[in-house]
Amino acid sequence: NNNNNDDDDDDNPDEDMQYNTFCGPSEFASNELWRAHSQRHCRQLHEHGFQLLDYAVTMPGTSVQWMLCRSYDHANTVVLSFKGTSNPLDAMVNIGLHPLYLPQFQCSVFSGMFAALQQSLSIICHRLKYYSSDDYFHQRRQHSSHDNVTKIHRLIICGHSLGSGYAQLFTAHLLSVPEFEDYFSDIQCITFGSPLVFCKDVKQSFLYDALARRVLNFVYQFDLVPRLQNKMQFEYRTRLLQGLLLSQLPVSNIGIIFDVNQRMNFVMQKFQRHQWLLDRYEAVGKFVSLFEKDAPTAIDSNKKCKCFTKGAHSYHLALDAECVLTLPSHIPNDRQIYASQILNDHKMLNYMKTVMFQ
């Protein structure tokens, strides 16, 4: 395993061994298509400075998609990443929102996410124990041509959208199991556009201070998902959901459109009936608000040509959770809210470009 990037990729003697090792679900190890799938992911991650260790895909009995990889630049660190959902409303409406009290956490959590995570919890913990073990360290040192092979003792857990909810819950699980202190000296959790997954009683839990030190939440501009629970005023939520419904209404070939008011009333009644649930959730950890530094600028004087460019720089504002999450509610009532832009703010691409270019 190459532990630094000073050498050219082509000179890495461990590359062939890495690509010939199947990293996907074990039941597919003999399948040629899946082996090609695994090798493709290995090569893509290798080009960006990471070694793929393990990953899981959606299969019968489990819906959580996750990936384990190791950084060449920081050889003592393993990264656990959870994949998010493709539709932000699906993450909030279709997943069980009722809080579930967990004695081992001493607080209540988002029951739907916690239940889904249980399907993959044991296998992820098993793999983490292996990659941080002495056996894996000696195996790496035996097969590596480098002298600076380091034992893995740092863990970064991350995710986007639904995946960031899994990341926070998995972090809480590790902090509640004393044995993991023997495996990792440092555990950090980084989220992008995360929904709230802990209830207010987390403030009385032994986990609260530990999570506050380890969880870093990025929120891009007016991203909907982190604010859809108890951090959104009724008037703003009504305007936003109305715009969202108008932008996503299906139109048939004969031009029939669903009754907007009927759908709007149905959605708002759902939120009103479950407001007591939404109000129970609490933000945990540090928050950083991401903003584009420059508005789109026209680069062609021809009025018929709508060509714009946007500056690559961005603002990173470390603010308290209340300020970040309630920010959109301060938009004046006479200002139009474009639901399509709010949905666009949730895309991981926006998080990546603002984090990379600052």
Side-chain angles (χ1 to χ4, degrees):
N1 299 325
N2 183 19
N3 292 317
N4 61 66
N5 286 339
D6 295 335
D7 301 328
D8 188 86
D9 290 344
D10 294 335
D11 296 331
N12 182 5
D14 305 318
E15 183 175 333
D16 292 336
M17 181 186 70
Q18 174 187 335
Y19 294 156
N20 291 329
T21 302
F22 182 74
C23 299
S26 57
E27 55 266 44
F28 299 139
S30 60
N31 187 298
E32 290 301 321
L33 289 178
W34 274 99
R35 293 194 68 85
H37 183 268
S38 173
Q39 291 171 3
R40 183 169 67 252
H41 282 305
C42 284
R43 292 184 182 277
Q44 289 175 342
L45 283 167
H46 176 77
E47 292 172 358
H48 291 85
F50 290 90
Q51 177 193 2
L52 178 62
L53 300 177
D54 213 332
Y55 70 96
V57 295
T58 301
M59 295 185 296
T62 177
S63 60
V64 180
Q65 300 183 59
W66 53 270
M67 178 180 67
L68 277 171
C69 59
R70 182 180 64 86
S71 169
Y72 294 144
D73 290 335
H74 305 280
N76 63 353
T77 303
V78 64
V79 179
L80 170 62
S81 176
F82 290 95
K83 185 179 183 299
T85 184
S86 58
N87 188 324
L89 278 182
D90 287 344
M92 302 304 303
V93 178
N94 295 340
I95 299 176
L97 190 61
H98 283 266
L100 172 67
Y101 181 79
L102 300 175
Q104 67 271 32
F105 288 2
Q106 296 179 359
C107 66
S108 305
V109 301
F110 202 125
S111 60
M113 291 188 197
F114 180 79
L117 183 60
Q118 299 314 294
Q119 301 167 343
S120 304
L121 195 63
S122 60
I123 181 61
I124 298 176
C125 289
H126 175 74
R127 301 309 292 168
L128 285 176
K129 289 179 181 179
Y130 168 69
Y131 290 119
S132 61
S133 67
D134 291 335
D135 289 343
Y136 181 68
F137 168 65
H138 293 313
Q139 178 185 349
R140 284 176 54 206
R141 187 165 59 178
Q142 180 181 358
H143 292 92
S144 177
S145 60
H146 297 276
D147 297 327
N148 62 339
V149 176
T150 306
K151 184 178 178 181
I152 292 174
H153 62 85
R154 295 184 67 246
L155 172 63
I156 297 176
I157 308 169
C158 60
H160 169 247
S161 188
L162 176 64
S164 60
Y166 291 143
Q168 291 190 66
L169 291 172
F170 189 83
T171 302
H173 169 74
L174 294 187
L175 295 176
S176 68
V177 181
E179 67 175 294
F180 272 94
E181 295 179 359
D182 300 330
Y183 294 95
F184 297 103
S185 61
D186 184 25
I187 298 175
Q188 298 293 325
C189 177
I190 303 174
T191 77
F192 303 91
S194 176
L196 307 183
V197 296
F198 296 100
C199 293
K200 292 183 181 297
D201 56 356
V202 71
K203 289 186 173 182
Q204 284 74 51
S205 169
F206 71 96
L207 286 173
Y208 185 70
D209 290 338
L211 289 170
R213 293 192 303 269
R214 292 173 171 84
V215 178
L216 178 62
N217 304 282
F218 287 99
V219 179
Y220 178 80
Q221 297 196 146
F222 299 107
D223 189 352
L224 169 68
V225 171
R227 304 172 168 112
L228 194 56
Q229 287 153 287
N230 64 337
K231 299 300 180 182
M232 190 177 294
Q233 294 179 0
F234 178 80
E235 294 79 6
Y236 175 75
R237 180 186 289 159
T238 301
R239 288 190 294 152
L240 177 59
L241 291 176
Q242 186 172 21
L244 181 61
L245 288 174
L246 287 172
S247 67
Q248 294 193 343
L249 279 175
V251 181
S252 69
N253 292 333
I254 58 175
I256 298 177
I257 304 179
F258 290 159
D259 184 353
V260 178
N261 290 330
Q262 182 179 357
R263 295 192 65 186
M264 186 65 193
N265 291 335
F266 173 78
V267 173
M268 293 310 301
Q269 288 173 8
K270 282 279 189 181
F271 274 101
Q272 290 175 4
R273 284 200 301 268
H274 295 88
Q275 187 64 47
W276 67 277
L277 289 175
L278 300 174
D279 289 341
R280 292 185 61 178
Y281 286 90
E282 179 69 30
V284 172
K286 302 179 182 68
F287 278 77
V288 176
S289 187
L290 305 174
F291 284 94
E292 298 287 349
K293 183 176 181 181
D294 302 306
T297 305
I299 60 175
D300 196 310
S301 57
N302 186 352
K303 293 183 179 181
K304 294 183 180 180
C305 178
K306 295 182 179 181
C307 188
F308 296 85
T309 184
K310 182 179 287 189
H313 292 284
S314 63
Y315 288 120
H316 295 186
L317 305 177
L319 304 169
D320 62 83
E322 187 73 17
C323 181
V324 173
L325 298 182
T326 60
L327 182 64
S329 296
H330 300 295
I331 297 177
N333 291 331
D334 59 350
R335 293 287 299 275
Q336 186 174 357
I337 297 176
Y338 295 94
S340 59
Q341 181 60 42
I342 297 296
L343 288 179
N344 187 61
D345 283 352
H346 186 63
K347 292 182 178 180
M348 186 60 195
L349 177 61
N350 288 321
Y351 281 92
M352 291 176 62
K353 68 182 182 182
T354 48
V355 169
M356 294 173 64
F357 302 104
Q358 53 177 306

